[in-house]
């Protein structure tokens, strides 16, 4: 329940902040997701910090989704419906793949912490495409393109 309430609030707050600062908001939520996931890994045997970190993960873990959909629509050009559908499909594909890998990790020598390790690695990996997108959208890069 705490994760769900956090996710609801995160979507509302993330959507608001994403309207004015989409890249700052997505980087912040991705960074805090990495920290929350790592914290869950470290404190998995301590109920109070675990619930707090799980709530934080709900708050930030999904809050970038509306921003990412908005960015997809921005880049979608003449195909806004397709651009809206693609991020949701990719989120679902990521969930399916992540769940499969987490199941394998669960049965590995990592045991019960396997899914958390997979989640932490996944959270770190999102920083690369976000960094590339932020770079391509940066004013400095846009000025360099215009000067060519």
């Amino acid at each position: 329940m705490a994760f769900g309430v956090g996710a609801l609030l995160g979507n509302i707050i993330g959507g608001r902040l994403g309207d004015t600062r989409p890249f700052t908001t997505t980087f912040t939520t991705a960074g805090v997701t990495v920290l929350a996931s790592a914290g869950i890994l470290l404190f998995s045997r301590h109920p109070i910090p675990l619930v707090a970190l799980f709530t934080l993960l709900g708050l930030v873990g999904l809050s970038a989704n509306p921003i990412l959909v908005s960015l997809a629509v921005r880049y979608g050009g003449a195909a806004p419906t397709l651009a809206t559908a693609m991020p949701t499909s990719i989120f679902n594909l990521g969930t399916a793949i992540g769940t499969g890998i987490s199941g394998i990790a669960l049965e590995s020598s990592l045991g019960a912490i396997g899914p958390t390790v997979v989640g932490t690695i996944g959270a770190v990996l999102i920083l690369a495409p976000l960094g590339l997108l932020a770079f391509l959208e940066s004013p400095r890069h846009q000025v360099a393109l215009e000067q060519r």
Side-chain angles (χ1 to χ4, degrees), residues 115-141:
T116 307
V117 170
V118 171
T120 303
I121 292 169
V124 169
L125 291 176
I126 192 64
L127 296 172
L130 278 177
L132 178 61
L133 186 59
F135 169 74
L136 293 173
E137 282 288 313
S138 70
R140 183 180 273 163
H141 180 70

Side-chain angles (χ1 to χ4, degrees), residues 102-113:
S102 293
I104 293 167
L106 184 62
E107 292 189 357
S108 76
S109 61
L110 292 171
I113 65 165

Side-chain angles (χ1 to χ4, degrees), residues 16 23-24 30 55 74 77 89 93 109 129 142:
R16 285 275 180 198
F23 295 108
T24 301
T55 304
R74 180 190 312 174
S89 298
L93 179 63
S109 61
Q142 294 298 321

Side-chain angles (χ1 to χ4, degrees), residues 3 32-33 35-44 46-60:
F3 182 90
V32 176
T33 298
L35 295 174
S37 297
I40 288 170
L41 187 60
L42 293 172
F43 294 103
S44 62
H46 305 282
I48 294 174
L50 181 62
V51 169
L53 287 163
F54 199 64
T55 304
L56 178 63
L57 187 61
L59 182 69
V60 298

